[in-house]
Amino acid sequence: MALRIRSLFDRLRLPRIEFERSGNSQREYSAVTTFYLIVVPALLLIAIGLMMAFSSQAVMNIASEKDPYKAFLKPVMLVLFALAAMGVVQFFRPHWWRTFAWAAFLGALFAQTLVLSPLGASEGGNTNWVRIPGLPFLLQPSEILKLGIILFLAWILSRPGTRLKDPWQILVLAGVPIVLALLAVMLGRDLGTAMVMALACMGALWVADLPKKWFAILFAALIPVSVLLVLSNPTRIKRVMEILPWAKPERSLSAPTQIDHAMWAFGTGGLFGVGPGASREKWNYLQEADTDFILAIIGEEFGFFGSTVVLLCVGVLLWGLLRLCGHTPLLFDRVVAGGVASWIGVQALINIASVSNIGPVIGVPLPFVSSGGSSLLFTSIALGVVLSIARNDAGMRQLGRPDEASAGRDPRVARPRRSASAVKYV
């Protein structure tokens, strides 16, 4: 029977996932397994987000005398477009992203400066959106810039002439673009997005095997900068004070905050939830129920187990990204995978901490789950870039000629795990 199944896979040219070959005492690395560890949880998160978007938005559409099914067509089309973009991007070989990395960064940086133009739009106290004529939604250029700066860092660090141990060269080649990107985001006063971008860049630099003592110095320098940015805005001070045990303001049941409603949602959900669509907090009690606080609605309707499924999907996705980062041989591919893993992981952690009252409310969406056209679209494109690297490592079908570094390699033969000293720049 096993021989027949193997013969069927060979005729259909389907990849076989092998966790461990019979007769071997040591587990071998499978690039195909890594590919599916990334794509499967991402698709599950998108499906959960689409379902919860309908659940969160339907009641408000009904209250405003709108057809909830017609109104739901817009997020459905956005999800389909994001999935199509992810599907197309993954079929391009990684050398395409090396070729256009600098252009992607400069284009994204220019798009971010448009928030100061007449096209800029404000929402929630931040001016981080651009209104493009003809589009039915606002565009958030900072989401493009996250991917642009990661690709640029991967390109500049993997160039043959780059000296990774030279602090002054790295400061100019990598530090200046990062500062420019962060300043462009802060033009719109969006501290949450700037935090995610900064930590994503640090993740990309970390996997490039830069000296670790540099990161200690960088963290020490960022602490006073972060304190000043918080103290410069009364709203940020209030949100930080809300989570400090010795400085929490007394809350009144007559004027509950977003965190109060989120905690009530989790408490009402219990272990198994109140049932799909039966949330009460989404009836205009919990603000941003379909975006930043969608995890609270999941906890209310599906309980502790539903929230755990979402967290497990995020964890498996990050495991796949870090697994790819640890085994892909090229420095460019490794930096891109590390940067995207840091981006998704940090953003998910900030969102979960905000919703569960562990950290201050910063206002970043839960990747792939929260509603939001720009966030979903460009996070999906970023994941498509990573999937193109995973497909290339696995020897799966892609467009164009293979990279010289992987040409002629049998993807079924496991490669040794990379070492810090074995760095390839091609």
Side-chain angles (χ1 to χ4, degrees):
M1 185 63 180
L3 292 176
R4 291 182 180 179
I5 295 176
R6 181 172 297 181
S7 177
L8 177 62
F9 270 72
D10 290 336
R11 288 199 299 268
L12 296 178
R13 294 183 178 179
L14 294 176
R16 292 193 298 270
I17 301 177
E18 296 184 2
F19 289 93
E20 185 174 1
R21 295 191 180 188
S22 58
N24 288 357
S25 59
Q26 294 183 349
R27 189 180 299 273
E28 294 183 353
Y29 173 71
S30 170
V32 176
T33 302
T34 300
F35 174 82
Y36 287 110
L37 283 173
I38 297 173
V39 70
V40 172
L43 293 178
L44 288 175
L45 288 173
I46 292 174
I48 292 172
L50 187 62
M51 176 183 66
M52 295 308 302
F54 177 77
S55 176
S56 302
Q57 297 172 2
V59 292
M60 301 310 301
N61 288 327
I62 294 173
S64 57
E65 299 182 353
K66 295 180 182 179
D67 188 333
Y69 298 101
K70 289 184 179 179
F72 189 56
L73 290 177
K74 178 180 176 181
V76 168
M77 295 303 296
L78 288 173
V79 167
L80 292 178
F81 187 74
L83 289 175
M86 183 195 300
V88 171
V89 166
Q90 67 174 303
F91 281 99
F92 288 91
R93 296 190 181 274
H95 66 81
W96 284 84
W97 316 124
R98 286 198 298 270
T99 303
F100 299 104
W102 63 273
F105 170 66
L106 293 179
L109 191 63
F110 171 76
Q112 180 62 35
T113 60
L114 293 178
V115 299
L116 300 179
S117 71
L119 297 175
S122 299
E123 187 174 323
N126 297 331
T127 307
N128 203 25
W129 285 265
V130 173
R131 184 177 290 103
I132 304 298
L135 289 182
F137 55 87
L138 297 177
L139 188 67
Q140 191 172 0
S142 59
E143 297 295 329
I144 317 173
L145 189 54
K146 290 177 187 175
L147 178 58
I149 186 62
I150 290 173
L151 289 175
F152 183 83
L153 290 176
W155 171 71
I156 202 69
L157 294 175
S158 61
R159 295 181 66 188
T162 303
R163 299 186 299 275
L164 298 179
K165 307 302 180 182
D166 186 344
W168 298 111
Q169 188 184 59
I170 297 301
L171 182 64
V172 174
L173 296 181
V176 172
I178 292 174
V179 171
L180 289 177
L182 293 176
L183 289 177
V185 173
M186 288 305 298
L187 290 176
R189 301 188 300 276
D190 193 347
L191 180 59
T193 300
M195 288 176 56
V196 173
M197 184 179 297
L199 293 174
C201 292
M202 291 188 67
L205 295 176
W206 181 275
V207 299
D209 293 325
L210 300 182
K212 299 303 181 280
K213 61 181 180 181
W214 295 359
F215 293 92
I217 299 173
L218 184 59
F219 269 115
L222 287 178
I223 291 175
V225 174
S226 302
V227 172
L228 289 175
L229 290 175
V230 171
L231 295 178
S232 64
N233 189 303
T235 302
R236 295 171 190 160
I237 297 175
K238 180 181 177 182
R239 290 178 175 179
V240 171
M241 298 292 285
E242 286 180 349
I243 66 166
L244 297 178
W246 60 86
K248 283 187 177 180
E250 293 186 4
R251 294 177 179 175
S252 172
L253 293 178
S254 61
T257 63
Q258 272 184 302
I259 289 298
D260 291 325
H261 285 291
M263 292 297 99
W264 293 342
F266 283 122
T268 303
L271 286 178
F272 302 101
V274 297
S279 167
R280 293 185 288 272
E281 290 296 334
K282 65 186 179 183
W283 285 86
N284 207 24
Y285 295 111
L286 178 60
Q287 302 299 316
E288 308 295 340
D290 62 328
T291 54
D292 299 346
F293 281 82
I294 196 167
L295 185 62
I297 304 302
I298 294 174
E300 185 179 10
E301 295 191 352
F302 295 95
F304 172 78
F305 290 106
S307 302
T308 302
V309 168
V310 174
L311 298 183
L312 286 176
C313 287
V314 174
V316 173
L317 173 60
L318 293 176
W319 176 32
L321 291 171
L322 295 176
R323 178 183 164 103
L324 174 65
C325 183
H327 287 87
T328 189
L330 302 184
L331 181 59
F332 176 88
D333 299 348
R334 191 160 63 249
V335 174
V336 171
V340 174
S342 302
W343 167 6
I344 295 176
V346 167
Q347 187 165 315
L349 183 63
I350 291 176
N351 178 272
I352 294 167
S354 299
V355 176
S356 58
N357 200 24
I358 298 175
V361 178
I362 294 180
V364 295
L366 184 60
F368 300 110
V369 181
S370 298
S371 298
S374 296
S375 176
L376 176 61
L377 175 60
F378 294 108
T379 308
S380 299
I381 292 176
L383 199 67
V385 173
V386 175
L387 288 174
S388 73
I389 297 171
R391 291 183 71 93
N392 186 68
D393 284 357
M396 301 169 74
R397 185 173 300 173
Q398 289 183 290
L399 300 175
R401 299 179 60 185
D403 295 352
E404 294 181 3
S406 60
R409 176 180 60 80
D410 187 350
R412 296 170 295 179
V413 178
R415 293 173 303 195
R417 188 178 180 88
R418 69 170 184 88
S419 63
S421 59
V423 178
K424 295 184 179 180
Y425 292 91
V426 179

